[in-house]
Amino acid sequence: MQSMTETAQRRQTISKSSLSSIRRRENWLGWLFAAPAILGFVIFVLGPMIASLWLSMTDYKVASTPHFIGLENYRNLFNGTDAFFYKSLGVTLYYVILSVPLQIIVAFFLAILLNQKVKGLTFFRTAFYLPTIVPLIASSMVWLWLFDPDMGLLNVIMRALHLPESQWIYSETTVVPTLVLMSLWTVGGTMVIFLAGLKDIPDHYYEAIEIDGGNALHKLLYITIPLTSPTIFFNTIMGFIGGFQVFVQPYVMTQGGPNNGSLFYIFYLFREAFTFSNMGYACAIAWVLFIVIMLFTFLLFRTSQKWVYYEGEGR
C-alpha cells in the first residue's frame, strides 16, 4: 500500500515537472513570436522618441554637433520669441474645431443613408469610400484647379448661379474654411466605421420604438445615437489626432500662405526641420504637439463617461 502511494506521489511530481517544462517552453515560444513586434517598437518607435526628447534639449543642426542647452528651445517657443509657434497652433486649432465635428456629422448621416435598404447601395458605398484611397497629393492637385479664383470649376458655377465668388485658398480669411470643405471629400473611411457600428444595432429596438408610436427622429435620438456613441467616440478621437497632423494639403496647395494663414503645426515643424535645419528646435515642437494631443485625448476620455453608452454596462 505504501509503495503504491509513493508511486502515485512520484507520478504526480513528474507530471508537475513536465507541466512546468511545457509552460516554460510555451513562454519562450510566446516571447519568440512577439519578438519582431517588440523589437520593431523599440527600434522604430521608442528609440526615436527618446532620441528626439534628448535632441529637443540641444541646439542640434544637421551639419553640427549637438550641444545641450536644457529647456531653451521650449522657452523660445512659449515666451513669444518665435511668433510662428502661436500662429501655427492657432491655425491648427481653428481647423480642428471646424473640421472634426463637420466630418463626424457628415460621415454619420452618410452612413445612416447607406444603411437603408435601397437599390444601388454597393455603388454608392464604393463611390463615397473611393476618395479615401486616392493619394492626397493627387487629390490636392485636383482641388487646386477647383479652387482657382479665375478658371476653377467652383467659381465658374458661382458665376453661372449669380452668386458671390470666393478667393478660396488664396485669401487669408477663407483658406482654413476652404481646407475644411476639402476635408469632407475623404470622410469615406469614417463613414465605413459608422456603417459597421450601425450594423450592430439589433432591429428589435427600432421595432419597439415603432410599436410605442415613435418616428424616425425618436429612432435617431433614442436608439441610433446612443448605441453608436462608442463609434462616435472612436471617430472623434481619431479625427482630433488626424486634424492636428494635417500636412499634405498646406504643403502642396498653399505652402503655409497666404500670410501664414494656413501655417499648420506640422508644416511649421517640417519647415523648421528641413528648410531651416533646426532639428533640435523641431524636436521640441514635435514634443509640444505630442503633449497637446495627449491632453485632448485625456479630456475626451474623461468626458466620455457622461455621453458614451456601452450596451450591457450599468449606469
Side-chain angles (χ1 to χ4, degrees), residues 75-302:
R75 278 195 291 270
N76 289 337
L77 285 174
F78 288 102
N79 65 13
T81 303
D82 184 356
F84 294 122
F85 171 71
Y86 287 109
K87 176 69 176 179
S88 65
L89 201 57
V91 167
T92 307
L93 281 171
Y94 179 34
Y95 175 84
V96 167
I97 291 168
L98 281 180
S99 66
V100 174
L102 269 177
Q103 289 175 15
I104 295 296
I105 292 168
V106 171
F108 182 70
F109 282 102
L110 280 176
I112 289 175
L113 289 173
L114 295 179
N115 196 41
Q116 308 303 311
K117 296 176 181 178
V118 295
K119 291 183 179 180
L121 271 181
T122 304
F123 168 77
F124 288 113
R125 288 174 183 174
T126 304
F128 282 115
Y129 182 73
L130 198 59
T132 62
I133 63 174
V134 176
L136 267 178
I137 292 178
S139 61
S140 296
M141 296 303 294
V142 173
W143 282 97
L144 263 176
W145 169 70
L146 292 173
F147 290 138
D148 188 278
D150 300 318
M151 304 296 294
L153 179 62
L154 293 180
N155 271 356
V156 168
I157 294 172
M158 292 291 191
R159 283 194 292 269
L161 297 175
H162 304 288
L163 295 173
E165 298 175 32
S166 174
Q167 290 297 305
W168 303 110
I169 60 173
Y170 298 96
S171 169
E172 185 180 356
T173 56
T174 59
V175 61
V176 172
T178 299
L179 292 175
V180 169
L181 176 66
M182 177 184 167
S183 72
L184 299 179
W185 166 255
T186 55
V187 297
T190 307
M191 178 201 71
V192 168
I193 297 172
F194 274 130
L195 266 174
L198 291 171
K199 292 293 183 185
D200 283 339
I201 301 176
D203 290 336
H204 60 80
Y205 288 157
Y206 293 116
E207 292 168 1
I209 286 277
E210 290 175 358
I211 292 170
D212 290 340
N215 54 31
L217 183 60
H218 293 128
K219 291 179 183 178
L220 176 67
L221 294 178
Y222 300 115
I223 301 295
T224 306
I225 292 178
L227 292 183
T228 55
S229 58
T231 312
I232 295 171
F233 175 60
F234 172 79
N235 282 329
T236 303
I237 291 283
M238 299 307 294
F240 269 104
I241 293 172
F244 276 109
Q245 298 181 75
V246 170
F247 170 71
V248 174
Q249 297 92 319
Y251 178 72
V252 173
M253 300 173 71
T254 65
Q255 286 292 303
N259 194 26
N260 295 311
S262 61
L263 184 63
F264 285 86
Y265 197 88
I266 293 293
F267 181 75
Y268 163 62
L269 189 158
F270 173 85
R271 193 171 68 177
E272 289 295 330
F274 299 104
T275 302
F276 305 130
S277 299
N278 296 326
M279 288 294 181
Y281 194 63
C283 287
I285 295 169
W287 272 95
V288 171
L289 176 63
F290 176 70
I291 293 168
V292 168
I293 290 175
M294 279 191 63
L295 286 174
F296 266 86
T297 306
F298 173 76
L299 288 173
L300 283 170
F301 268 96
R302 290 288 292 180

